[in-house]
């Protein structure tokens, strides 16, 4: 049986700089090693979509969260940090496993800052907390960082 995730895009808040204090990542236990029905509204045409999101222990591999960075598909994500806000809320930071380039010397990496809110035992909402980036298609709420100027795994990018 699938659990349910509904994506709601929205800029919520900028978190305090000192909250991400270590580089460990722990997803909520009921999200780990599971498949969730991922329901969302496609912002390009306002249509309702539903896909299956497979979450490993700390990765989203070959994910339905797939972005195009100037011809490079970015769909593999590794959790690099988290913050538990309460028993029903937390923030998780995923880093793209690949980079994309705008030329021979500049590579970029993407970060997803997700706020998870547990509504019921089988329903989560998650929100992407970054500003919309036009460096990827479709435009999405991701943090973009240049290679060589990468934030540390415990950087306060959300």
């Amino acid at each position: 049986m699938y659990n349910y995730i509904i994506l709601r895009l929205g800029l919520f808040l900028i978190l305090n700089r000192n909250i991400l204090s270590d580089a460990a990542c722990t997803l909520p236990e009921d999200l780990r090693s599971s498949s969730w029905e991922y329901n969302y509204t496609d912002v390009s045409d306002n249509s309702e979509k539903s896909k299956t999101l497979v979450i490993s222990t700390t990765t989203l591999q070959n994910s339905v969260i797939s972005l195009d960075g100037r011809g490079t598909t970015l769909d593999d994500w590794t959790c690099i940090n988290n913050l538990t806000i309460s028993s029903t809320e937390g923030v998780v930071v995923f880093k793209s496993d690949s980079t994309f380039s705008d030329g021979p010397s500049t590579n970029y990496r993407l970060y997803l800052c997700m706020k998870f809110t547990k509504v019921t035992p089988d329903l989560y909402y998650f929100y992407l907390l970054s500003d919309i980036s036009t460096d990827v298609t479709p435009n999405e709420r991701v943090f973009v960082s240049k290679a060589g100027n990468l934030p540390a795994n415990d950087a306060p990018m959300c």
Side-chain angles (χ1 to χ4, degrees):
M1 183 173 142
Y2 293 117
N3 296 313
Y4 299 95
I5 290 181
I6 298 175
L7 170 65
R8 303 279 187 196
L9 294 177
L11 180 60
F12 255 68
L13 51 112
I14 297 175
L15 298 175
N16 190 333
R17 292 183 60 92
N18 61 2
I19 58 170
L20 299 175
S21 59
D22 65 4
C25 181
T26 305
L27 296 171
E29 179 127 3
D30 46 358
L31 288 177
R32 290 182 231 159
S33 301
S34 61
S35 297
W36 290 75
E37 186 177 322
Y38 170 55
N39 299 303
Y40 63 99
T41 302
D42 187 328
V43 295
S44 66
D45 62 7
N46 210 27
S47 63
E48 296 297 319
K49 304 283 185 176
S50 181
K51 297 182 180 181
T52 300
L53 181 63
V54 178
I55 302 174
S56 298
T57 305
T58 57
T59 61
L60 300 168
Q61 299 300 304
N62 299 308
S63 172
V64 297
I65 302 174
S66 181
L67 303 173
D68 180 288
R70 298 189 176 118
T72 300
T73 300
L74 303 159
D75 62 357
D76 294 329
W77 308 90
T78 299
C79 185
I80 60 170
N81 215 322
N82 74 284
L83 168 71
T84 300
I85 298 171
S86 71
S87 62
T88 59
E89 289 186 307
V91 176
V92 178
V93 180
F94 286 94
K95 175 174 71 172
S96 64
D97 291 352
S98 325
T99 60
F100 68 95
S101 177
D102 67 353
S105 62
T106 306
N107 290 312
Y108 298 91
R109 187 172 302 276
L110 299 181
Y111 296 84
L112 300 173
C113 298
M114 294 182 176
K115 179 181 179 187
F116 285 95
T117 302
K118 186 174 187 173
V119 179
T120 67
D122 64 350
L123 176 66
Y124 273 87
Y125 286 108
F126 75 85
Y127 306 88
L128 297 177
L129 299 176
S130 299
D131 288 327
I132 291 177
S133 171
T134 57
D135 291 326
V136 295
T137 305
N139 293 345
E140 187 56 272
R141 292 183 182 277
V142 295
F143 178 82
V144 181
S145 179
K146 287 184 185 178
N149 190 23
L150 297 176
N153 282 353
D154 62 351
M157 66 195 75
C158 293

